[in-house]
């Protein structure tokens, strides 16, 4: 494919074939290709070599089917207000499908050149139980834990160094959570490896930030025009903004991602909390409230004056007071920048994509904020309004629900009303009571927000 790409396309200058695999990445979806792989490609282009990526798909073979025929090559197109810039990315060497290539995946984790195993498997990929511990019913032979544990065992037996396990997912304290979950898995399946894991491996925390919508057929057609007719089935479209904050705690060598815009810090928590509670929290509110108003995209929802006002309040008055910022971290400026990013009409970021897996996302996006404000006597009417919209979404008001707990949570609506459902979710013995429990005032606000919503058949679809 490389020799077919127009010579004027922005691209890497390093020799791909000379770069050994230094990173094994689980979950090589659009976000990873527009973020971590994009940073790695540019770091290698700046002279920090030997960090090629081997991608692993844990479930569907779609990405492998897209990337492998293209020798791992693909494009990242940045769009804003009618302007776009496309770059050819060379960091990904190949992609394996875990179910079909299990032995090869384990061998890659155990390979002497591998230094980092990274993850963008979404919240549900960590196989957590409701209390945050590892759910062994989910963490079976097809989970990330099996492949990593088997690879680590081989490294130990071959007297090779440990690895850095790098979660790049939207989990609060993602490094700490990955450490605990990995230890829990090893304690059951290979307890003799636990001491070596603790001594030789690290799980740094990270914060990742870039809006990456699902790629559409129109996006691929646009990429083909930019590439002189060459089809790129694995291309991704994103915004110009990107941010990557990484705890500087690696088990061995690390790429010089800081040369191309990433930031290594001692404490990721202030950045991570701001992103989860402000950006992700606002995104989820726009998704559920926007869908029931008939909107399809983020830029449409944020253009609605009522929704923009609610999102401002959620970020500035409800989320920001719960965050202790790092030096020079300006939360007011961050909120303003998010409104601008949400308003970008070039991305067509679908609300239904953001609405997926709410049961996995909302505890850290909303419920943690509610709990912190509770301790300080502050009300959260914006989040409670959004929370009522999520409950209606689970009822099926916006169509089929894509959530691993859809049947369980949606079933709570059978024979019940909003008051009963709210109690079943957030009452003293509710499904999410470990994260946050309603007070009588919270309950009253949530029910009032629900009562103010028109019936679904009165909505008008908007394009």
């Amino acid at each position: 494919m490389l020799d077919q790409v127009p010579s004027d396309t922005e691209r890497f200058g390093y020799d791909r074939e000379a770069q050994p695999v230094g990173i094994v990445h689980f979950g090589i979806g659009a976000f990873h290709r527009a973020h971590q792989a994009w940073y790695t490609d540019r770091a290698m282009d700046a002279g920090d070599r030997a960090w090629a990526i081997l991608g692993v798909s844990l479930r569907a073979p779609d990405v492998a089917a897209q990337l492998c025929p293209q020798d791992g090559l693909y494009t990242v197109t940045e769009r804003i207000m009618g302007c776009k810039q496309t770059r050819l990315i060379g960091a990904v060497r190949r992609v394996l499908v875990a179910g079909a290539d299990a032995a090869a995946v384990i061998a890659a984790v155990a390979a002497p050149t591998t230094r980092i195993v990274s993850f963008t498997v979404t919240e549900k990929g960590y196989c957590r139980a409701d209390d945050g511990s590892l759910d062994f019913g989910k963490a079976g032979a097809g989970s990330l834990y099996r492949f990593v544990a088997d690879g680590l065992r081989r490294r130990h037996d071959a007297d090779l160094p440990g690895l850095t396990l790098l979660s790049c997912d939207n989990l609060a304290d993602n490094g700490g959570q990955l450490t605990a979950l990995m230890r829990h898995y090893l304690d059951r399946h290979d307890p003799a490896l636990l001491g070596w894991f603790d001594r030789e491996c690290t799980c740094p925390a990270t914060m990742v930030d870039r809006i990456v919508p699902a790629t559409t057929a129109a996006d691929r057609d646009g990429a083909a025009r930019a590439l002189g007719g060459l089809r790129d089935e694995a291309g991704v479209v994103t915004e110009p903004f990107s941010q990557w904050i990484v705890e500087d705690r690696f088990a061995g060598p690390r790429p010089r991602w800081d040369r191309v815009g990433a930031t290594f810090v001692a404490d990721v928590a202030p950045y991570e909390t701001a992103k989860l509670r402000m950006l992700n929290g606002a995104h989820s509110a726009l998704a559920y409230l926007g869908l029931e108003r008939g909107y399809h995209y983020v830029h449409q929802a944020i253009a609605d004056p009522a929704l923009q006002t609610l999102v401002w309040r959620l970020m500035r008055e409800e989320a920001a007071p719960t965050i202790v910022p790092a030096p020079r971290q300006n939360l007011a400026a961050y909120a303003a920048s998010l409104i601008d990013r949400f308003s970008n009409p070039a991305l067509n970021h679908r609300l239904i994509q953001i609405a997926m897996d709410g049961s996995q996302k909302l505890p850290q996006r909303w419920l943690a904020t509610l709990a912190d404000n509770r301790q300080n006597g502050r009300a959260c009417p914006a989040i409670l309004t959004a929370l009522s919209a999520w409950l209606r979404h689970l009822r099926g008001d916006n169509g089929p629900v894509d959530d691993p707990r859809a049947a369980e949570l949606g079933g709570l609506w059978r024979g019940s009303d909003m008051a009963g459902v709210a109690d079943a979710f957030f009452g003293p013995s509710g499904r999410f009571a470990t994260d946050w429990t309603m007070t009588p005032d919270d309950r009253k606000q949530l029910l009032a927000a629900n009562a103010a919503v028109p019936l679904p058949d009165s909505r008008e679809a908007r394009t």
Side-chain angles (χ1 to χ4, degrees):
M1 177 181 174
L2 187 57
D3 59 356
Q4 302 175 52
V5 177
S7 58
D8 60 350
T9 302
E10 182 185 346
R11 70 177 75 191
F12 54 91
Y14 53 86
D15 180 359
R16 292 182 77 226
E17 300 303 317
Q19 309 308 313
V21 169
I23 302 171
V24 175
H25 183 82
F26 286 81
I28 185 165
F31 182 81
H32 170 73
R33 301 200 299 276
H35 196 271
Q36 298 96 33
W38 177 81
Y39 277 97
T40 303
D41 175 76
R42 292 161 61 242
M44 287 199 293
D45 213 26
D48 188 26
R49 307 296 166 83
W51 290 108
I53 297 169
L54 183 142
V56 178
S57 290
L58 281 171
R59 293 183 292 273
D62 301 23
V63 177
Q66 293 169 347
L67 275 170
C68 290
Q70 301 180 180
D71 299 321
L73 295 167
Y74 67 95
T75 57
V76 171
T77 299
E78 300 175 4
R79 286 185 185 167
I80 187 167
M81 299 298 289
C83 300
K84 63 181 181 179
Q85 180 176 344
T86 298
R87 176 181 173 90
L88 183 69
I89 305 298
V92 178
R93 290 293 298 275
R94 61 182 177 134
V95 179
L96 300 174
V97 180
D101 304 308
V105 173
I106 294 166
V109 173
T113 61
T114 299
R115 297 297 189 183
I116 295 172
V117 175
S118 53
F119 310 90
T120 48
V121 294
T122 74
E123 292 89 344
K124 63 185 174 185
Y126 292 88
C127 307
R128 295 171 298 163
D130 292 348
D131 64 359
S133 65
L134 188 63
D135 184 336
F136 285 100
K138 299 174 183 176
S143 72
L144 69 90
Y145 303 100
R146 175 268 178 113
F147 297 103
V148 173
D150 287 358
L152 292 179
R153 165 49 68 184
R154 289 195 190 181
R155 297 185 75 88
H156 171 275
D157 294 348
D159 199 25
L160 289 171
L163 295 173
T164 299
L165 307 184
L166 194 68
S167 170
C168 298
D169 283 297
N170 287 323
L171 299 175
D173 185 25
N174 54 13
Q177 289 208 49
L178 180 57
T179 300
L181 293 165
M182 197 71 228
R183 294 190 84 261
H184 198 182
Y185 184 89
L186 290 174
D187 188 47
R188 172 172 290 194
H189 292 281
D190 194 351
L193 195 61
L194 264 174
W196 181 86
F197 174 77
D198 290 339
R199 291 190 306 272
E200 299 292 331
C201 299
T202 62
C203 301
T206 69
M207 187 280 280
V208 297
D209 188 359
R210 196 170 209 186
I211 296 172
V212 185
T215 307
T216 66
D219 294 332
R220 293 188 179 94
D221 290 343
R225 288 191 293 272
L227 295 171
L230 183 65
R231 296 291 299 182
D232 176 11
E233 297 299 331
V236 290
V237 173
T238 186
E239 60 177 338
F241 178 90
S242 69
Q243 188 176 31
W244 195 4
I245 311 294
V246 187
E247 182 185 7
D248 198 0
R249 190 171 59 86
F250 285 69
R254 58 168 169 76
R256 292 300 307 275
W257 290 315
D258 51 325
R259 290 182 178 177
V260 291
T263 304
F264 291 108
V265 298
D267 184 11
V268 170
Y271 304 94
E272 171 191 79
T273 306
K275 197 256 181 165
L276 284 168
R277 299 188 183 185
M278 296 177 72
L279 187 156
N280 297 130
H283 251 172
S284 289
L286 287 171
Y288 300 117
L289 290 163
L291 284 169
E292 67 181 9
R293 288 179 176 232
Y295 299 120
H296 302 291
Y297 301 109
V298 171
H299 69 267
Q300 296 171 333
I302 198 64
D304 184 311
L307 293 187
Q308 185 170 136
T309 298
L310 181 140
V311 163
W312 265 114
R313 177 159 192 169
L314 187 155
M315 291 193 294
R316 293 290 304 275
E317 299 178 25
E318 299 177 10
T322 71
I323 300 162
V324 179
R328 297 183 296 279
Q329 184 184 13
N330 187 324
L331 297 180
Y334 183 54
S337 74
L338 291 176
I339 296 293
D340 289 341
R341 292 167 63 195
F342 295 163
S343 301
N344 182 359
L347 287 183
N348 281 338
H349 196 183
R350 296 183 66 84
L351 297 172
I352 199 67
Q353 178 187 356
I354 300 167
M356 292 170 52
D357 301 337
S359 67
Q360 309 296 297
K361 299 173 178 177
L362 299 186
Q364 53 261 31
R365 297 186 179 193
W366 291 348
L367 304 188
T369 303
L370 286 166
D372 280 2
N373 278 305
R374 161 80 52 75
Q375 292 181 350
N376 291 281
R378 294 187 294 259
C380 295
I383 292 179
L384 291 172
T385 298
L387 204 59
S388 72
W390 177 52
L391 297 180
R392 292 189 295 273
H393 177 80
L394 290 172
R395 184 172 59 188
D397 286 17
N398 302 318
V401 179
D402 190 343
D403 190 291
R405 299 177 66 181
E408 170 203 351
L409 299 179
L412 296 174
W413 275 103
R414 296 192 192 101
S416 189
D417 58 8
M418 176 61 83
V421 169
D423 291 338
F425 274 70
F426 307 114
S429 58
R431 295 295 201 279
F432 293 86
T434 56
D435 301 296
W436 167 78
T437 306
M438 289 185 302
T439 65
D441 283 345
D442 295 330
R443 189 176 187 273
K444 178 188 271 188
Q445 287 189 55
L446 191 150
L447 296 180
N450 180 66
V453 177
L455 293 174
D457 61 5
S458 70
R459 297 184 315 231
E460 296 180 1
R462 299 179 175 123
T463 58

